[in-house]
Amino acid sequence: MIIARKKPIEEILSDIAPYDRILILGCNECVTVCEAGGKKEVEVLASALSLYHLNRRDKKTFGEMTLERQCDREYLEEIRPVQDDWDAVLSLACGVGVQFTAETFPKLPLLPGVDTICLGANEDRGLWTERCQACGSCVLAKTAGICPVSRCAKRLLNGPCGGSANGKCELGADTNCAWQLIVDRLKALDRMADYETVAPIKDWSTDRAGGPRTVTREGIQI
Amino acid sequence: MTENPAPGTPEPRIVAFCCKYCAYAAADLAGSMRLSYPADLKIIQVPCTGRIDVIHMLKALEEGADGVMLAGCLEGECHFLAGNLKAKARVGQVKKILTEIKMDPGRVEMFNLSSAMGARFAEIATEMAERIRGLGPSPVPKKPKKAAAA
């Protein structure tokens, strides 16, 4: 899923300063699971911002709404009947949701309430870690299911580098060496022969290097 | 902390979320023991302090409470194993939010006690009431008190 992190309230306060009526818009998908922008976070942020402005006798009003998804026009249409009630929308969705909402409502100012971080997994309560960089051509079949693109700082396809020590990356003790993980898993799977095969130069045109990407599936288009 | 207390009622309003297995029983015991504690506390019985989320504490403040306290079981003795530890973490979150919105984080606090600690309940009630009096009324405009149901 997409992992996001709540923006500091101070930053949000500065962003919303020019507006009086602000709709805080949550998303029921990824940001709900990573506890950054779901219904609960919408409630808490609305309450915190209301408290701040009540304390200053500012006449700002905050609305709360959480859509099933903000990356789908079908659900964004739910805002249309109320769009004139608000001066701006503070979206707690990922960058995709914020942009798609902005595209759907061209005259409604859109502000982001979270920082979108990565594609990751819920490793533990309150801990999310990166697992994929959406490079557009998956190499996991060759690397025992461990991604060197997202988990190796150097994105090495033939690793490890000289910075790997005791299973850790030279970045620090908190970061596992992806290639150590790959080798350990290849050994466990009795597939060390795969490690001897040199990976060819990766086609990075499917990554961001090729510009914004599009997926078209004609079979399901109407 | 910079706050601008509005001229309001001198009597602080403290919302006390009390676990039915410990603090609520301790408050009861304090009463049976004829111990006096400040009348500023509005006690709300909850099945476990783990039920209290960040939003409940913020809403209490938003509605005009001058302080919010959670009173749960002693650590390691929660009837639901870890409800009081979750509550402790959430009180920490609220303190962080209050700091971010320039309110004193001392307006919320977590306390731990057992049902046998009637005297301790009176003590924490006094401690919290004194702290809130020291901080002054919440800068949030007060809403009129609701009349008691006939």
Side-chain angles (χ1 to χ4, degrees), chain A residues 113-125:
Chain A
V114 302
D115 290 317
T116 307
I117 306 296
C118 63
L119 299 180
N122 189 357
E123 196 158 308
D124 203 348
R125 186 86 182 95

Side-chain angles (χ1 to χ4, degrees), chain A:
Chain A
M1 70 182 145
I2 295 171
I3 310 298
R5 186 164 44 210
K6 294 178 197 174
K7 272 190 181 290
I9 292 180
E10 204 173 4
E11 188 180 336
I12 293 175
L13 287 171
S14 140
D15 288 345
I16 63 170
Y19 308 104
D20 288 333
R21 302 170 304 163
I22 298 130
L23 175 64
I24 304 177
L25 191 66
C27 179
N28 252 344
E29 296 285 347
C30 313
V31 287
T32 294
V33 184
C34 69
E35 299 183 41
K39 193 178 173 196
K40 238 172 137 174
E41 289 74 33
V42 167
E43 276 183 334
V44 168
L45 184 61
S47 185
L49 295 177
S50 296
L51 256 178
Y52 178 85
H53 290 101
L54 276 171
N55 289 350
R56 277 150 191 78
R57 309 292 189 271
D58 288 344
K59 287 201 171 104
K60 278 195 199 291
T61 50
F62 296 93
E64 299 172 31
M65 198 170 178
T66 301
L67 303 182
E68 195 56 37
R69 277 197 291 280
Q70 289 188 33
C71 53
D72 211 323
R73 290 206 205 279
E74 181 186 345
Y75 300 108
L76 284 174
E77 284 305 314
E78 290 174 34
I79 308 173
R80 199 168 298 281
V82 295
Q83 61 171 323
D84 295 333
D85 299 345
W86 306 103
D87 298 330
V89 172
L90 176 65
S91 167
L92 301 195
C94 67
V96 180
V98 178
Q99 291 184 67
F100 216 48
T101 309
E103 283 170 33
T104 311
F105 302 99
K107 290 188 177 166
L108 201 52
L110 251 291
L111 308 164
V114 302
D115 290 317
T116 307
I117 306 296
C118 63
L119 299 180
N122 189 357
E123 196 158 308
D124 203 348
R125 186 86 182 95
L127 176 67
W128 294 273
T129 50
E130 184 163 21
R131 286 291 184 278
C132 179
Q133 287 206 342
C135 71
S137 82
C138 193
V139 297
L140 287 171
K142 304 271 190 304
T143 57
I146 292 159
C147 176
V149 179
S150 59
R151 301 185 68 185
C152 169
K154 293 175 179 170
R155 296 173 142 204
L156 290 181
L157 294 171
N158 294 288
C161 70
S164 174
N166 303 318
K168 298 292 176 189
C169 174
E170 62 189 330
L171 283 179
D174 293 340
T175 311
N176 288 321
C177 168
W179 273 97
Q180 182 68 55
L181 296 174
I182 293 169
V183 168
D184 290 347
R185 192 160 153 80
L186 284 172
K187 277 183 189 163
L189 295 169
D190 198 20
R191 276 178 43 195
M192 272 306 277
D194 289 9
Y195 182 59
E196 302 301 327
T197 312
V198 176
I201 294 170
K202 187 172 160 63
D203 174 10
W204 289 105
S205 68
T206 58
D207 189 74
R208 279 284 302 129
R213 293 161 286 176
T214 304
V215 174
T216 310
R217 204 170 301 144
E218 288 175 358
I220 57 169
Q221 287 179 329
I222 301 168

Side-chain angles (χ1 to χ4, degrees), chain B residues 22-35 37 114-121:
Chain B
C22 54
Y24 194 83
D28 226 11
L29 181 60
S32 306
M33 291 164 76
R34 302 279 186 267
L35 295 171
Y37 58 84
S114 82
S115 58
M117 295 177 171
R120 174 68 183 144
F121 184 86

